[in-house]
Amino acid sequence: MTDENTKMGCIGCGVVAALAGLVIAYKSYTTIPVGHVQVRNVFGSVYDKELPPGLHIVNPLSGGNNIDVRTQQLEEKLEVPTKEGLIAGLDVSVVYHVNPSKAVELYSKVGLEYRKTIITPFIRNATRDTVAKYVAADLYGAARGKIANDVYLAIKPEYEARGVELEKVLLRDVRIPQKVKDAIETKLQAQQQA
């Protein structure tokens, strides 16, 4: 009976070893989808180089986080004060992407929630600060493009310092009280007739 127990024990050990080998082999490969890079880490240490899209052999003990490096858009609805103290509603779009070569830095310093941590707060703050320098009529006139550009210039260095490339800031919609809107339209019509 001992020979039979020994055979069963060897078979059991072989099955366990085969399963362990399959798990290690499975964990030694990773596939990164198009439009992403992967930041790898092992035991709390982040690797210093991002993995580009494709199939890669990796340390089976390491873990990875995919970071989307494609162009993304964030839409914000804001209530901001103008120079004369009027509260204007603005729909703002921020078009941006993560710089693939700075994904490790972004992950290490900000984390995976970078959209909540830096994208949203900076656009809100810069939009409020910028619109406060203009009167409500500027939001409807030719200065609208300048306002969007001023917001862009205010946040671009903040984003780039953290690994995010700002592509565009768009002011999509402006909402002000109807009386003010009517007064602005009347003034613009008078200017056109003159």
mmCIF file with all atom_site columns, all heavy atoms in Angstrom, residues 40-58:
data_model
loop_
_atom_site.group_PDB
_atom_site.id
_atom_site.type_symbol
_atom_site.label_atom_id
_atom_site.label_alt_id
_atom_site.label_comp_id
_atom_site.label_asym_id
_atom_site.label_entity_id
_atom_site.label_seq_id
_atom_site.pdbx_PDB_ins_code
_atom_site.Cartn_x
_atom_site.Cartn_y
_atom_site.Cartn_z
_atom_site.occupancy
_atom_site.B_iso_or_equiv
_atom_site.pdbx_formal_charge
_atom_site.auth_seq_id
_atom_site.auth_comp_id
_atom_site.auth_asym_id
_atom_site.auth_atom_id
_atom_site.pdbx_PDB_model_num
ATOM 1   N N   . ARG A 1 40 ? 3.671  49.402 -14.904 1.00 0.00 ? 40 ARG A N   1
ATOM 2   C CA  . ARG A 1 40 ? 3.860  48.171 -14.128 1.00 0.00 ? 40 ARG A CA  1
ATOM 3   C C   . ARG A 1 40 ? 4.431  48.508 -12.754 1.00 0.00 ? 40 ARG A C   1
ATOM 4   O O   . ARG A 1 40 ? 5.175  49.469 -12.589 1.00 0.00 ? 40 ARG A O   1
ATOM 5   C CB  . ARG A 1 40 ? 4.824  47.214 -14.837 1.00 0.00 ? 40 ARG A CB  1
ATOM 6   C CG  . ARG A 1 40 ? 4.480  46.804 -16.241 1.00 0.00 ? 40 ARG A CG  1
ATOM 7   C CD  . ARG A 1 40 ? 3.323  45.878 -16.362 1.00 0.00 ? 40 ARG A CD  1
ATOM 8   N NE  . ARG A 1 40 ? 3.513  44.622 -15.655 1.00 0.00 ? 40 ARG A NE  1
ATOM 9   C CZ  . ARG A 1 40 ? 2.568  43.686 -15.562 1.00 0.00 ? 40 ARG A CZ  1
ATOM 10  N NH1 . ARG A 1 40 ? 1.402  43.870 -16.117 1.00 0.00 ? 40 ARG A NH1 1
ATOM 11  N NH2 . ARG A 1 40 ? 2.799  42.579 -14.911 1.00 0.00 ? 40 ARG A NH2 1
ATOM 12  N N   . ASN A 1 41 ? 4.082  47.688 -11.775 1.00 0.00 ? 41 ASN A N   1
ATOM 13  C CA  . ASN A 1 41 ? 4.636  47.844 -10.436 1.00 0.00 ? 41 ASN A CA  1
ATOM 14  C C   . ASN A 1 41 ? 4.773  46.478 -9.787  1.00 0.00 ? 41 ASN A C   1
ATOM 15  O O   . ASN A 1 41 ? 4.044  45.542 -10.109 1.00 0.00 ? 41 ASN A O   1
ATOM 16  C CB  . ASN A 1 41 ? 3.766  48.775 -9.584  1.00 0.00 ? 41 ASN A CB  1
ATOM 17  C CG  . ASN A 1 41 ? 2.352  48.259 -9.452  1.00 0.00 ? 41 ASN A CG  1
ATOM 18  O OD1 . ASN A 1 41 ? 2.116  47.257 -8.801  1.00 0.00 ? 41 ASN A OD1 1
ATOM 19  N ND2 . ASN A 1 41 ? 1.405  48.940 -10.074 1.00 0.00 ? 41 ASN A ND2 1
ATOM 20  N N   . VAL A 1 42 ? 5.731  46.377 -8.888  1.00 0.00 ? 42 VAL A N   1
ATOM 21  C CA  . VAL A 1 42 ? 5.945  45.144 -8.145  1.00 0.00 ? 42 VAL A CA  1
ATOM 22  C C   . VAL A 1 42 ? 6.316  45.507 -6.712  1.00 0.00 ? 42 VAL A C   1
ATOM 23  O O   . VAL A 1 42 ? 7.202  46.333 -6.485  1.00 0.00 ? 42 VAL A O   1
ATOM 24  C CB  . VAL A 1 42 ? 7.009  44.232 -8.815  1.00 0.00 ? 42 VAL A CB  1
ATOM 25  C CG1 . VAL A 1 42 ? 8.371  44.878 -8.842  1.00 0.00 ? 42 VAL A CG1 1
ATOM 26  C CG2 . VAL A 1 42 ? 7.073  42.875 -8.148  1.00 0.00 ? 42 VAL A CG2 1
ATOM 27  N N   . PHE A 1 43 ? 5.602  44.947 -5.781  1.00 0.00 ? 43 PHE A N   1
ATOM 28  C CA  . PHE A 1 43 ? 5.843  45.171 -4.353  1.00 0.00 ? 43 PHE A CA  1
ATOM 29  C C   . PHE A 1 43 ? 5.955  46.653 -4.003  1.00 0.00 ? 43 PHE A C   1
ATOM 30  O O   . PHE A 1 43 ? 6.820  47.071 -3.243  1.00 0.00 ? 43 PHE A O   1
ATOM 31  C CB  . PHE A 1 43 ? 7.091  44.422 -3.888  1.00 0.00 ? 43 PHE A CB  1
ATOM 32  C CG  . PHE A 1 43 ? 7.033  42.941 -4.138  1.00 0.00 ? 43 PHE A CG  1
ATOM 33  C CD1 . PHE A 1 43 ? 8.047  42.312 -4.839  1.00 0.00 ? 43 PHE A CD1 1
ATOM 34  C CD2 . PHE A 1 43 ? 5.983  42.173 -3.675  1.00 0.00 ? 43 PHE A CD2 1
ATOM 35  C CE1 . PHE A 1 43 ? 8.006  40.951 -5.076  1.00 0.00 ? 43 PHE A CE1 1
ATOM 36  C CE2 . PHE A 1 43 ? 5.925  40.812 -3.897  1.00 0.00 ? 43 PHE A CE2 1
ATOM 37  C CZ  . PHE A 1 43 ? 6.942  40.194 -4.601  1.00 0.00 ? 43 PHE A CZ  1
ATOM 38  N N   . GLY A 1 44 ? 5.085  47.477 -4.574  1.00 0.00 ? 44 GLY A N   1
ATOM 39  C CA  . GLY A 1 44 ? 5.055  48.898 -4.253  1.00 0.00 ? 44 GLY A CA  1
ATOM 40  C C   . GLY A 1 44 ? 6.007  49.770 -5.039  1.00 0.00 ? 44 GLY A C   1
ATOM 41  O O   . GLY A 1 44 ? 5.995  50.986 -4.892  1.00 0.00 ? 44 GLY A O   1
ATOM 42  N N   . SER A 1 45 ? 6.854  49.192 -5.869  1.00 0.00 ? 45 SER A N   1
ATOM 43  C CA  . SER A 1 45 ? 7.776  49.971 -6.694  1.00 0.00 ? 45 SER A CA  1
ATOM 44  C C   . SER A 1 45 ? 7.248  50.035 -8.120  1.00 0.00 ? 45 SER A C   1
ATOM 45  O O   . SER A 1 45 ? 6.881  49.016 -8.699  1.00 0.00 ? 45 SER A O   1
ATOM 46  C CB  . SER A 1 45 ? 9.162  49.328 -6.720  1.00 0.00 ? 45 SER A CB  1
ATOM 47  O OG  . SER A 1 45 ? 9.749  49.361 -5.446  1.00 0.00 ? 45 SER A OG  1
ATOM 48  N N   . VAL A 1 46 ? 7.216  51.257 -8.663  1.00 0.00 ? 46 VAL A N   1
ATOM 49  C CA  . VAL A 1 46 ? 6.725  51.461 -10.023 1.00 0.00 ? 46 VAL A CA  1
ATOM 50  C C   . VAL A 1 46 ? 7.903  51.387 -10.985 1.00 0.00 ? 46 VAL A C   1
ATOM 51  O O   . VAL A 1 46 ? 8.942  51.999 -10.757 1.00 0.00 ? 46 VAL A O   1
ATOM 52  C CB  . VAL A 1 46 ? 6.017  52.828 -10.142 1.00 0.00 ? 46 VAL A CB  1
ATOM 53  C CG1 . VAL A 1 46 ? 5.544  53.079 -11.562 1.00 0.00 ? 46 VAL A CG1 1
ATOM 54  C CG2 . VAL A 1 46 ? 4.850  52.905 -9.173  1.00 0.00 ? 46 VAL A CG2 1
ATOM 55  N N   . TYR A 1 47 ? 7.742  50.607 -12.066 1.00 0.00 ? 47 TYR A N   1
ATOM 56  C CA  . TYR A 1 47 ? 8.779  50.540 -13.093 1.00 0.00 ? 47 TYR A CA  1
ATOM 57  C C   . TYR A 1 47 ? 8.936  51.924 -13.714 1.00 0.00 ? 47 TYR A C   1
ATOM 58  O O   . TYR A 1 47 ? 7.976  52.688 -13.809 1.00 0.00 ? 47 TYR A O   1
ATOM 59  C CB  . TYR A 1 47 ? 8.397  49.533 -14.172 1.00 0.00 ? 47 TYR A CB  1
ATOM 60  C CG  . TYR A 1 47 ? 8.459  48.081 -13.760 1.00 0.00 ? 47 TYR A CG  1
ATOM 61  C CD1 . TYR A 1 47 ? 8.348  47.677 -12.441 1.00 0.00 ? 47 TYR A CD1 1
ATOM 62  C CD2 . TYR A 1 47 ? 8.600  47.092 -14.714 1.00 0.00 ? 47 TYR A CD2 1
ATOM 63  C CE1 . TYR A 1 47 ? 8.394  46.338 -12.081 1.00 0.00 ? 47 TYR A CE1 1
ATOM 64  C CE2 . TYR A 1 47 ? 8.647  45.742 -14.363 1.00 0.00 ? 47 TYR A CE2 1
ATOM 65  C CZ  . TYR A 1 47 ? 8.538  45.380 -13.046 1.00 0.00 ? 47 TYR A CZ  1
ATOM 66  O OH  . TYR A 1 47 ? 8.579  44.062 -12.689 1.00 0.00 ? 47 TYR A OH  1
ATOM 67  N N   . ASP A 1 48 ? 10.121 52.245 -14.192 1.00 0.00 ? 48 ASP A N   1
ATOM 68  C CA  . ASP A 1 48 ? 10.372 53.587 -14.715 1.00 0.00 ? 48 ASP A CA  1
ATOM 69  C C   . ASP A 1 48 ? 10.048 53.750 -16.198 1.00 0.00 ? 48 ASP A C   1
ATOM 70  O O   . ASP A 1 48 ? 10.226 54.816 -16.753 1.00 0.00 ? 48 ASP A O   1
ATOM 71  C CB  . ASP A 1 48 ? 11.820 54.009 -14.447 1.00 0.00 ? 48 ASP A CB  1
ATOM 72  C CG  . ASP A 1 48 ? 12.833 53.098 -15.119 1.00 0.00 ? 48 ASP A CG  1
ATOM 73  O OD1 . ASP A 1 48 ? 12.433 52.066 -15.678 1.00 0.00 ? 48 ASP A OD1 1
ATOM 74  O OD2 . ASP A 1 48 ? 14.032 53.415 -15.086 1.00 0.00 ? 48 ASP A OD2 1
ATOM 75  N N   . LYS A 1 49 ? 9.520  52.734 -16.843 1.00 0.00 ? 49 LYS A N   1
ATOM 76  C CA  . LYS A 1 49 ? 9.207  52.807 -18.273 1.00 0.00 ? 49 LYS A CA  1
ATOM 77  C C   . LYS A 1 49 ? 7.815  52.233 -18.525 1.00 0.00 ? 49 LYS A C   1
ATOM 78  O O   . LYS A 1 49 ? 7.457  51.184 -18.000 1.00 0.00 ? 49 LYS A O   1
ATOM 79  C CB  . LYS A 1 49 ? 10.265 52.011 -19.062 1.00 0.00 ? 49 LYS A CB  1
ATOM 80  C CG  . LYS A 1 49 ? 10.165 52.150 -20.538 1.00 0.00 ? 49 LYS A CG  1
ATOM 81  C CD  . LYS A 1 49 ? 10.760 53.473 -21.001 1.00 0.00 ? 49 LYS A CD  1
ATOM 82  C CE  . LYS A 1 49 ? 10.709 53.552 -22.509 1.00 0.00 ? 49 LYS A CE  1
ATOM 83  N NZ  . LYS A 1 49 ? 10.212 54.794 -22.993 1.00 0.00 ? 49 LYS A NZ  1
ATOM 84  N N   . GLU A 1 50 ? 7.049  52.941 -19.358 1.00 0.00 ? 50 GLU A N   1
ATOM 85  C CA  . GLU A 1 50 ? 5.714  52.478 -19.736 1.00 0.00 ? 50 GLU A CA  1
ATOM 86  C C   . GLU A 1 50 ? 5.835  51.376 -20.789 1.00 0.00 ? 50 GLU A C   1
ATOM 87  O O   . GLU A 1 50 ? 6.756  51.386 -21.595 1.00 0.00 ? 50 GLU A O   1
ATOM 88  C CB  . GLU A 1 50 ? 4.898  53.624 -20.358 1.00 0.00 ? 50 GLU A CB  1
ATOM 89  C CG  . GLU A 1 50 ? 4.724  54.836 -19.489 1.00 0.00 ? 50 GLU A CG  1
ATOM 90  C CD  . GLU A 1 50 ? 5.878  55.819 -19.523 1.00 0.00 ? 50 GLU A CD  1
ATOM 91  O OE1 . GLU A 1 50 ? 6.867  55.605 -20.271 1.00 0.00 ? 50 GLU A OE1 1
ATOM 92  O OE2 . GLU A 1 50 ? 5.826  56.795 -18.781 1.00 0.00 ? 50 GLU A OE2 1
ATOM 93  N N   . LEU A 1 51 ? 4.887  50.451 -20.781 1.00 0.00 ? 51 LEU A N   1
ATOM 94  C CA  . LEU A 1 51 ? 4.832  49.440 -21.837 1.00 0.00 ? 51 LEU A CA  1
ATOM 95  C C   . LEU A 1 51 ? 3.863  49.922 -22.911 1.00 0.00 ? 51 LEU A C   1
ATOM 96  O O   . LEU A 1 51 ? 2.735  50.285 -22.613 1.00 0.00 ? 51 LEU A O   1
ATOM 97  C CB  . LEU A 1 51 ? 4.344  48.094 -21.283 1.00 0.00 ? 51 LEU A CB  1
ATOM 98  C CG  . LEU A 1 51 ? 5.287  47.350 -20.345 1.00 0.00 ? 51 LEU A CG  1
ATOM 99  C CD1 . LEU A 1 51 ? 4.640  46.048 -19.871 1.00 0.00 ? 51 LEU A CD1 1
ATOM 100 C CD2 . LEU A 1 51 ? 6.612  47.055 -21.013 1.00 0.00 ? 51 LEU A CD2 1
ATOM 101 N N   . PRO A 1 52 ? 4.290  49.934 -24.173 1.00 0.00 ? 52 PRO A N   1
ATOM 102 C CA  . PRO A 1 52 ? 3.413  50.372 -25.263 1.00 0.00 ? 52 PRO A CA  1
ATOM 103 C C   . PRO A 1 52 ? 2.403  49.273 -25.628 1.00 0.00 ? 52 PRO A C   1
ATOM 104 O O   . PRO A 1 52 ? 2.496  48.149 -25.136 1.00 0.00 ? 52 PRO A O   1
ATOM 105 C CB  . PRO A 1 52 ? 4.402  50.630 -26.405 1.00 0.00 ? 52 PRO A CB  1
ATOM 106 C CG  . PRO A 1 52 ? 5.540  49.697 -26.133 1.00 0.00 ? 52 PRO A CG  1
ATOM 107 C CD  . PRO A 1 52 ? 5.638  49.601 -24.643 1.00 0.00 ? 52 PRO A CD  1
ATOM 108 N N   . PRO A 1 53 ? 1.455  49.581 -26.505 1.00 0.00 ? 53 PRO A N   1
ATOM 109 C CA  . PRO A 1 53 ? 0.480  48.570 -26.925 1.00 0.00 ? 53 PRO A CA  1
ATOM 110 C C   . PRO A 1 53 ? 1.154  47.335 -27.520 1.00 0.00 ? 53 PRO A C   1
ATOM 111 O O   . PRO A 1 53 ? 2.208  47.432 -28.146 1.00 0.00 ? 53 PRO A O   1
ATOM 112 C CB  . PRO A 1 53 ? -0.345 49.291 -27.995 1.00 0.00 ? 53 PRO A CB  1
ATOM 113 C CG  . PRO A 1 53 ? -0.165 50.739 -27.689 1.00 0.00 ? 53 PRO A CG  1
ATOM 114 C CD  . PRO A 1 53 ? 1.217  50.872 -27.127 1.00 0.00 ? 53 PRO A CD  1
ATOM 115 N N   . GLY A 1 54 ? 0.539  46.184 -27.300 1.00 0.00 ? 54 GLY A N   1
ATOM 116 C CA  . GLY A 1 54 ? 1.048  44.940 -27.847 1.00 0.00 ? 54 GLY A CA  1
ATOM 117 C C   . GLY A 1 54 ? 1.192  43.863 -26.790 1.00 0.00 ? 54 GLY A C   1
ATOM 118 O O   . GLY A 1 54 ? 0.760  44.017 -25.648 1.00 0.00 ? 54 GLY A O   1
ATOM 119 N N   . LEU A 1 55 ? 1.822  42.746 -27.166 1.00 0.00 ? 55 LEU A N   1
ATOM 120 C CA  . LEU A 1 55 ? 2.055  41.603 -26.280 1.00 0.00 ? 55 LEU A CA  1
ATOM 121 C C   . LEU A 1 55 ? 3.437  41.732 -25.658 1.00 0.00 ? 55 LEU A C   1
ATOM 122 O O   . LEU A 1 55 ? 4.409  42.015 -26.354 1.00 0.00 ? 55 LEU A O   1
ATOM 123 C CB  . LEU A 1 55 ? 1.956  40.297 -27.092 1.00 0.00 ? 55 LEU A CB  1
ATOM 124 C CG  . LEU A 1 55 ? 2.145  38.999 -26.334 1.00 0.00 ? 55 LEU A CG  1
ATOM 125 C CD1 . LEU A 1 55 ? 1.021  38.801 -25.328 1.00 0.00 ? 55 LEU A CD1 1
ATOM 126 C CD2 . LEU A 1 55 ? 2.194  37.823 -27.296 1.00 0.00 ? 55 LEU A CD2 1
ATOM 127 N N   . HIS A 1 56 ? 3.514  41.536 -24.344 1.00 0.00 ? 56 HIS A N   1
ATOM 128 C CA  . HIS A 1 56 ? 4.781  41.694 -23.631 1.00 0.00 ? 56 HIS A CA  1
ATOM 129 C C   . HIS A 1 56 ? 4.987  40.565 -22.637 1.00 0.00 ? 56 HIS A C   1
ATOM 130 O O   . HIS A 1 56 ? 4.029  40.070 -22.032 1.00 0.00 ? 56 HIS A O   1
ATOM 131 C CB  . HIS A 1 56 ? 4.809  43.020 -22.854 1.00 0.00 ? 56 HIS A CB  1
ATOM 132 C CG  . HIS A 1 56 ? 4.668  44.210 -23.723 1.00 0.00 ? 56 HIS A CG  1
ATOM 133 N ND1 . HIS A 1 56 ? 5.721  44.786 -24.375 1.00 0.00 ? 56 HIS A ND1 1
ATOM 134 C CD2 . HIS A 1 56 ? 3.582  44.943 -24.057 1.00 0.00 ? 56 HIS A CD2 1
ATOM 135 C CE1 . HIS A 1 56 ? 5.299  45.813 -25.073 1.00 0.00 ? 56 HIS A CE1 1
ATOM 136 N NE2 . HIS A 1 56 ? 3.997  45.931 -24.893 1.00 0.00 ? 56 HIS A NE2 1
ATOM 137 N N   . ILE A 1 57 ? 6.243  40.176 -22.462 1.00 0.00 ? 57 ILE A N   1
ATOM 138 C CA  . ILE A 1 57 ? 6.627  39.245 -21.394 1.00 0.00 ? 57 ILE A CA  1
ATOM 139 C C   . ILE A 1 57 ? 6.940  40.098 -20.175 1.00 0.00 ? 57 ILE A C   1
ATOM 140 O O   . ILE A 1 57 ? 7.693  41.070 -20.263 1.00 0.00 ? 57 ILE A O   1
ATOM 141 C CB  . ILE A 1 57 ? 7.849  38.402 -21.796 1.00 0.00 ? 57 ILE A CB  1
ATOM 142 C CG1 . ILE A 1 57 ? 7.510  37.540 -23.007 1.00 0.00 ? 57 ILE A CG1 1
ATOM 143 C CG2 . ILE A 1 57 ? 8.312  37.552 -20.627 1.00 0.00 ? 57 ILE A CG2 1
ATOM 144 C CD1 . ILE A 1 57 ? 8.694  36.800 -23.586 1.00 0.00 ? 57 ILE A CD1 1
ATOM 145 N N   . VAL A 1 58 ? 6.339  39.747 -19.034 1.00 0.00 ? 58 VAL A N   1
ATOM 146 C CA  . VAL A 1 58 ? 6.496  40.559 -17.824 1.00 0.00 ? 58 VAL A CA  1
ATOM 147 C C   . VAL A 1 58 ? 6.828  39.671 -16.631 1.00 0.00 ? 58 VAL A C   1
ATOM 148 O O   . VAL A 1 58 ? 6.680  38.446 -16.684 1.00 0.00 ? 58 VAL A O   1
ATOM 149 C CB  . VAL A 1 58 ? 5.211  41.358 -17.525 1.00 0.00 ? 58 VAL A CB  1
ATOM 150 C CG1 . VAL A 1 58 ? 4.936  42.378 -18.614 1.00 0.00 ? 58 VAL A CG1 1
ATOM 151 C CG2 . VAL A 1 58 ? 4.023  40.441 -17.321 1.00 0.00 ? 58 VAL A CG2 1
#
